[in-house]
Amino acid sequence: MDPLTEAQQKLMPEMTELLKKRYQILLTIKMEEPIGRRALSELAGSTEREIRKETDLLRNQQLINARSAGMVVSEQGVAVLDALKDFMRDVSGLIAMEKRLKSLLGISRVLILPQDSDDIPAVKANIGKEAARLLESLFAQHKKIAVTGGSTMAAISKELSSDKKDSTLQFIAARGGLGEDVLHQANTIASSFAGKTGGSVKTLYLPDHLSAEAYEMMMREPVIKEMMNLYDQTDVVVHGIGNAEEIALQRQSSTEEVERIRSGGAVSEAFGYYFDKEGKVVYRIRTAGIQLEQVQKAPAILAVAGGRSKAKAILSYFRNAAPQTVLITDEGAAQQILELTQNREEI
């Protein structure tokens, strides 16, 4: 924090708190627009009377417009949000929180977005936007990108820019995932990444659950060998982090598998691996997708997950995450992670 801002906070701390409050209200309107006062009061944790007062001020300042469907942010409002973005990250403590988490998790960088995607689903879109911008910054040097599935990865694909096409980019589905929601399969998302950027795509149409015999047979197939070689050459891995039991149920895992995951104390899941609270692999599904050792040797890794409900899973996975990993998350998850570590709670 610069000396002038620090001096202002000491002299008039109420000014900073009021600025933070109005900024969060304006940001929430932008994420949820069009939105009515009642819905906004619930999201902001304020009374309708207080929201009416603040939104009347924002409207008088021409920062928002009132429409029949609800309030929306004006062009001037968007400009104000952009101008205050870095300043608000500083005074809200997000930059300091990023530094603490970076040290705690032992990784190269942490990027925290305001608010909690568990409370405000639109925060996930903001996480996707920041992850997309970060990924795009890597394209000049890194051309082979492995992508997993999931709703967070889908949010990134929506935010990738289509302005600059690069035919040298290659997106590789990190897993098969047949049987899952097709919109959230790695194949679908890798194809979307390629479509947005003008790159090519390599897909893997295989079920996650294979018998030992089928797995051994598939690993000898030329197309699978080609994919495994591509994973070895991967420059960037972009992935989500899931809650272990939730992911197992989404995959329609057998009762036996779910019980093994539970009895093993699994907390998180990524790449078909299930990790306990210490980051130890307690179970893995047989899959021809990218392997953990291939992930860890990639030059750049972007892990994307948000919401306080994901905090335990994030902390579990990062017990053994590669140091070159960047975590893109939100304020809800970050605060919960710090509370879990400070209070030494069992996870």
Side-chain angles (χ1 to χ4, degrees):
M1 190 178 299
D2 66 84
L4 178 58
T5 301
E6 190 172 1
Q8 287 175 335
Q9 279 197 310
K10 288 182 178 179
L11 185 63
M12 294 185 65
E14 68 277 9
M15 180 178 71
T16 301
E17 290 304 313
L18 183 58
L19 178 61
K20 286 163 62 176
K21 176 183 177 181
R22 288 179 179 165
Y23 179 86
Q24 292 295 347
I25 290 173
L26 188 61
L27 180 62
T28 302
I29 295 172
K30 181 67 182 72
M31 289 190 294
E32 296 289 326
E33 64 184 11
I35 185 172
R37 283 176 177 157
R38 178 173 296 179
L40 179 59
S41 68
E42 292 175 357
L43 291 174
S46 302
T47 65
E48 286 191 55
R49 181 178 180 181
E50 189 174 8
I51 289 296
R52 183 182 299 108
K53 174 186 174 182
E54 296 297 339
T55 53
D56 284 347
L57 182 144
L58 294 176
R59 188 174 62 254
N60 291 336
Q61 293 297 109
Q62 299 183 329
L63 300 179
I64 63 172
N65 295 318
R67 297 179 180 172
S68 57
M71 296 173 287
V72 298
V73 176
S74 67
E75 289 186 10
Q76 290 186 51
V78 172
V80 166
L81 286 173
D82 289 341
L84 288 175
K85 179 180 176 182
D86 291 338
F87 175 76
M88 294 308 301
R89 281 171 48 76
D90 191 3
V91 299
S92 297
L94 293 185
I95 293 176
M97 197 182 299
E98 287 171 351
K99 292 177 180 177
R100 291 175 64 191
L101 277 183
K102 174 187 172 181
S103 177
L104 173 69
L105 301 177
I107 57 177
S108 65
R109 185 183 176 190
V110 175
L111 180 60
I112 301 172
L113 280 299
Q115 302 184 330
D116 187 333
S117 53
D118 283 353
D119 296 330
I120 306 176
V123 173
K124 184 176 287 188
N126 276 0
I127 294 174
K129 184 180 297 183
E130 292 297 327
R133 299 293 84 79
L134 185 55
L135 177 60
E136 288 167 349
S137 72
L138 300 174
F139 288 163
Q141 292 184 313
H142 300 299
K143 301 299 184 180
K144 294 184 185 296
I145 301 99
V147 182
T148 66
S151 59
T152 305
M153 295 299 102
I156 297 174
S157 70
K158 291 179 182 177
E159 299 296 338
L160 282 171
S161 172
S162 57
D163 293 340
K164 296 181 180 179
K165 302 293 186 180
D166 186 348
S167 61
T168 64
L169 293 172
Q170 185 176 40
F171 295 93
I172 309 157
R175 289 180 33 245
L178 287 180
E180 295 182 2
D181 176 5
V182 67
L183 293 177
H184 292 161
Q185 285 180 15
N187 291 315
T188 304
I189 293 169
S191 296
S192 177
F193 277 38
K196 282 288 191 72
T197 61
S200 61
V201 62
K202 291 291 291 186
T203 53
L204 180 64
Y205 289 97
L206 285 175
D208 266 337
H209 300 277
L210 294 170
S211 66
E213 295 78 8
Y215 178 78
E216 292 297 328
M217 181 179 69
M218 292 305 301
M219 293 301 289
R220 292 194 293 268
E221 289 293 319
V223 66
I224 302 301
K225 289 183 177 180
E226 179 188 3
M227 291 296 288
M228 297 307 291
N229 286 334
L230 283 175
Y231 295 143
D232 282 331
Q233 300 166 29
T234 294
D235 298 315
V236 184
V237 178
V238 189
H239 71 94
I241 301 167
N243 292 318
E245 189 168 334
E246 181 181 320
I247 294 297
L249 294 174
Q250 285 178 4
R251 285 181 174 149
Q252 299 180 341
S253 301
S254 67
T255 303
E256 180 184 353
E257 285 177 315
V258 173
E259 182 54 37
R260 288 183 65 181
I261 289 165
R262 286 173 178 165
S263 62
V267 175
S268 62
E269 185 279 340
F271 314 108
Y273 293 78
Y274 291 84
F275 306 89
D276 68 11
K277 65 180 182 180
E278 301 300 331
K280 177 184 175 183
V281 177
V282 297
Y283 184 73
R284 61 171 293 194
I285 59 175
R286 291 190 189 91
T287 176
I290 195 167
Q291 306 298 298
L292 193 57
E293 58 270 19
Q294 293 171 316
V295 173
Q296 292 177 333
K297 71 179 185 180
I301 306 168
L302 305 185
V304 189
R308 62 182 178 274
S309 61
K310 285 282 186 76
K312 293 180 180 180
I314 293 170
L315 192 53
S316 161
Y317 173 79
F318 274 94
R319 296 292 188 189
N320 287 308
Q324 69 270 30
T325 304
V326 176
L327 171 64
I328 303 99
T329 189
D330 62 27
E331 192 174 2
Q335 287 179 339
Q336 186 69 8
I337 290 170
L338 290 173
E339 287 180 15
L340 288 168
T341 54
Q342 287 171 352
N343 299 332
R344 299 176 183 271
E345 290 184 15
E346 289 298 322
I347 65 170

